[in-house]
């Protein structure tokens, strides 16, 4: 078997495509393979797939292919252009690469597998002997391909959340498929425009099938859901609510600790994270430390009790019972004489109708919160992102559950 026949088998080249020449350049560690389409053979229209006359040939294009041993391998071709009675003059498709790509399908597939395994662009680029821009081109194409392949499948529950992007008040809005455990898309900012962009990315059929949307109290999220899926329930996220209660407890602790320190009392020194924990998650040491504190005599103890008491709300299965519980808890919280707790209680009351929907749908942003660590890992591995589109590409590549392969 000669070199032309060998590469014809390796590349899966089918007649009338033919290998015209194979050039080996040991000094530059490369192999160049020149492919062609016979001049006397009709071409194939890339749209209607009919045989058509060859109009001319484009300037030579070069594609990077998988290495031959240690040698970089490149495919060269002056791709024919057909003249079709219906579609006019168009460039023929080539079997080894997709349109507008600088790499063969096989090379792109290997690059994607390397990226999935390493989750590190820099290392993958080094191993494949690519530049950062070349690897980014492959990732961008893979995500675009994956998004185009998404089917119009029904989505029952949506999660809306925000994440920090750059330093300062820079955020992205993340839309997740709660049951599918995937990120549907992200948009820059957390305003109405960003929210509308994400909703408009869903089909009308998908919007119709959405039963509930889990979110924080952010006004743009609420407005967007009411506009785009008016029949869906809004479920204010349990973990955000618990976070608000934790912050209230911490504010009480800080104020009280400051007063005690003034009197040379260090009772609350080093106890910050103890008050933020749920009692059910206490370790033996936590329990021992907690017993030493006379919590009934501490303002932070009373705040912690209100926080822990509210956890019972999430166990109710009937709206009437949950509403009755909240009414009692609200009275207790607003009569606690602890302003941070009172402020949170009043905020919860303003949104109580969309908190009670949890009883029916029992959805949270737990997946969105959990995926945050993955996003942080992506940012850390890339040593940060200055460009939003590259950030979006990376998140969808790793967290979008897309069909990425060519």
């Amino acid at each position: 078997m000669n070199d032309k026949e060998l590469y014809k088998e390796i590349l899966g080249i089918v007649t009338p495509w033919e290998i015209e020449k194979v050039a080996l350049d040991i000094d530059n560690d490369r192999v160049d393979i020149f492919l062609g389409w016979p001049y006397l053979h009709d071409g194939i229209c890339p749209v209607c797939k009919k045989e058509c006359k060859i109009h001319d040939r484009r300037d030579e294009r070069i594609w990077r292919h998988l290495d031959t041993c240690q040698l970089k391998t490149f495919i060269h071709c002056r791709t024919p252009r057909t003249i079709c009675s219906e579609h006019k003059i168009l460039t023929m498709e080539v079997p080894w690469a997709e349109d507008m790509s600088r790499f063969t399908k096989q090379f792109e597939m290997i690059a994607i597998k390397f990226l999935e395994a390493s989750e590190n662009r820099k290392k993958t680029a080094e191993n494949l002997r690519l530049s950062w821009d070349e690897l980014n081109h492959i990732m961008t194409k893979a995500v675009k391909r994956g998004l185009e392949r998404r089917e119009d499948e029904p989505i029952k529950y949506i999660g809306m959340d925000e994440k920090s992007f750059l330093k300062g008040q820079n955020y992205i809005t993340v839309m997740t498929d709660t049951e599918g455990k995937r990120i549907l898309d992200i948009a820059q900012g957390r305003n109405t425009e960003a929210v509308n962009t994400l909703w408009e990315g869903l089909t009308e059929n998908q919007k119709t099938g959405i039963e509930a949307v889990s979110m924080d109290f952010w006004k743009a999220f609420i407005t967007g859901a009411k506009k785009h899926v008016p029949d869906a329930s809004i479920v204010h996220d349990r973990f955000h609510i618990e976070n608000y209660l934790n912050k209230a407890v911490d504010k009480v602790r800080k104020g009280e600790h400051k007063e005690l320190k003034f009197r040379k009392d260090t009772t609350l020194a080093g106890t910050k994270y103890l008050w933020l924990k749920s009692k059910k998650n206490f370790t033996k040491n936590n329990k021992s430390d907690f017993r030493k504190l006379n919590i009934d005599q501490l303002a932070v103890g009373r705040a912690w009790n209100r926080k822990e008491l509210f956890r019972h709300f999430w166990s109710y299965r009937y709206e009437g019972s949950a509403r009755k519980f909240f009414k009692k808890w609200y009275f207790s919280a607003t009569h606690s004489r602890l302003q941070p707790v009172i402020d949170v209680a009043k905020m919860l009351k303003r949104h109580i109708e969309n908190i009670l929907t949890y009883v029916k749908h029992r959805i949270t942003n737990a997946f969105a919160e959990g995926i945050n660590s993955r996003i942080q890992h992506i940012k850390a591995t890339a040593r940060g992102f200055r460009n939003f589109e590259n950030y979006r590409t990376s998140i969808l590549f790793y967290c979008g559950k897309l069909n990425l392969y060519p």
Side-chain angles (χ1 to χ4, degrees):
M1 181 181 288
N2 61 36
D3 53 1
K4 291 183 182 180
E5 291 174 341
L6 174 64
Y7 276 106
K8 187 173 182 179
E9 289 296 322
I10 290 173
L11 297 174
I13 299 302
V14 178
T15 305
W17 288 104
E18 58 186 16
I19 295 179
E20 297 173 342
K21 183 175 68 172
V22 176
L24 178 63
D25 186 351
I26 296 294
D27 293 336
N28 291 306
D29 292 328
R30 64 182 288 161
V31 177
D32 294 274
I33 304 164
F34 297 81
L35 276 75
W37 183 275
Y39 275 81
L40 299 179
H41 203 288
D42 286 346
I44 307 295
C45 172
V47 179
C48 63
K49 309 302 180 185
K50 293 179 182 177
E51 288 193 359
C52 306
K53 296 294 182 184
I54 299 295
H55 176 71
D56 61 8
R57 281 164 171 73
R58 295 185 57 177
D59 292 339
E60 184 179 85
R61 288 187 62 194
I62 303 174
W63 295 265
R64 172 80 184 273
H65 186 54
L66 298 176
D67 292 355
T68 301
C69 297
Q70 79 278 13
L71 305 177
K72 287 184 178 180
T73 304
F74 299 89
I75 292 177
H76 301 244
C77 183
R78 293 189 62 208
T79 313
R81 295 199 303 166
T82 58
I83 181 164
C84 176
S85 58
E86 184 179 355
H87 302 105
K88 307 306 176 186
I89 299 172
L90 292 171
T91 303
M92 278 180 50
E93 293 177 340
V94 296
W96 57 85
E98 291 187 335
D99 189 35
M100 304 301 292
S101 177
R102 292 175 282 169
F103 306 92
T104 65
K105 293 176 183 177
Q106 290 178 323
F107 189 93
E108 284 194 42
M109 189 175 294
I110 289 296
I112 291 167
K113 287 182 177 180
F114 269 50
L115 281 166
E116 288 176 328
S118 70
E119 296 191 2
N120 188 312
R121 289 198 200 195
K122 185 180 178 183
K123 292 294 183 185
T124 300
E126 289 174 358
N127 288 330
L128 294 175
R129 294 186 285 181
L130 293 172
S131 69
W132 190 95
D133 287 335
E134 286 174 324
L135 192 62
N136 187 61
H137 170 76
I138 292 174
M139 281 188 76
T140 302
K141 276 195 78 233
V143 169
K144 183 174 182 290
R145 184 189 300 126
L147 290 173
E148 289 172 350
R149 287 174 178 170
R150 272 188 176 166
E151 298 178 358
D152 186 18
E153 71 274 356
I155 300 173
K156 188 176 181 181
Y157 294 128
I158 290 288
M160 298 292 291
D161 206 0
E162 64 183 35
K163 306 292 179 194
S164 63
F165 172 39
L166 299 171
K167 290 181 180 178
Q169 298 298 309
N170 287 285
Y171 294 92
I172 61 168
T173 300
V174 183
M175 176 182 275
T176 56
D177 173 4
T178 303
E179 286 193 327
K181 305 294 183 187
R182 57 178 176 158
I183 290 179
L184 294 172
D185 208 346
I186 68 172
Q188 192 166 12
R190 55 173 179 170
N191 53 20
T192 301
E193 183 182 355
V195 172
N196 286 339
T197 297
L198 292 175
W199 281 115
E200 288 162 5
L202 300 181
T203 67
E204 290 304 316
N205 182 51
Q206 287 174 326
K207 291 178 189 177
T208 303
I210 293 169
E211 293 185 13
V213 187
S214 177
M215 64 181 73
D216 190 7
F217 300 133
W218 191 248
K219 186 177 179 180
F221 293 173
I222 297 170
T223 304
K226 288 180 177 178
K227 176 182 176 181
H228 294 279
V229 283
D231 296 330
S233 299
I234 291 173
V235 182
H236 287 312
D237 179 51
R238 165 182 179 172
F239 295 103
H240 279 92
I241 292 170
E242 290 178 350
N243 190 43
Y244 285 124
L245 288 166
N246 271 329
K247 286 180 179 178
V249 172
D250 200 44
K251 282 182 182 178
V252 174
R253 180 198 62 81
K254 284 179 180 177
E256 188 172 24
H257 181 46
K258 188 175 181 181
E259 290 179 11
L260 291 173
K261 276 180 68 179
F262 184 76
R263 301 201 300 266
K264 309 299 183 184
D265 186 338
T266 59
T267 299
L268 294 179
T271 64
K272 175 181 177 178
Y273 294 104
L274 189 62
W275 301 107
L276 300 181
K277 267 192 172 185
S278 170
K279 196 170 185 177
K280 66 179 182 179
N281 295 325
F282 277 1
T283 63
K284 286 185 178 180
N285 288 336
N286 292 152
K287 290 176 182 177
S288 175
D289 293 339
F290 207 67
R291 280 193 295 269
K292 294 174 185 176
L293 298 168
N294 191 357
I295 67 168
D296 292 333
Q297 300 302 314
L298 293 169
V300 67
R302 290 185 286 119
W304 182 85
N305 275 326
R306 266 70 175 187
K307 179 205 51 155
E308 287 298 295
L309 182 61
F310 192 82
R311 291 184 186 275
H312 294 290
F313 176 87
W314 309 113
S315 64
Y316 284 94
R317 296 284 174 172
Y318 299 100
E319 183 182 320
S321 301
R323 191 183 295 274
K324 190 179 294 184
F325 170 85
F326 180 80
K327 188 176 180 180
K328 290 180 179 178
W329 178 87
Y330 179 78
F331 180 85
S332 172
T334 52
H335 286 75
S336 65
R337 290 172 293 149
L338 303 168
Q339 195 57 48
V341 175
I342 294 169
D343 291 341
V344 172
K346 289 181 176 179
M347 178 181 66
L348 297 184
K349 187 177 181 181
R350 290 196 299 271
H351 297 280
I352 187 58
E353 297 306 320
N354 289 334
I355 297 174
L356 286 167
T357 50
Y358 175 83
V359 173
K360 177 181 178 182
H361 296 287
R362 311 196 78 77
I363 60 170
T364 70
N365 275 10
F367 170 70
E369 291 300 314
I371 206 88
N372 194 35
S373 60
R374 187 86 189 276
I375 292 174
Q376 288 301 116
H377 174 70
I378 292 168
K379 284 175 68 175
T381 304
R383 298 190 178 180
F385 289 88
R386 300 184 189 90
N387 181 296
F388 168 74
E389 286 304 322
N390 289 340
Y391 189 37
R392 174 178 178 266
T393 295
S394 288
I395 291 173
L396 289 174
F397 185 92
Y398 292 111
C399 309
K401 289 190 176 180
L402 299 172
N403 181 358
L404 300 167
Y405 297 108

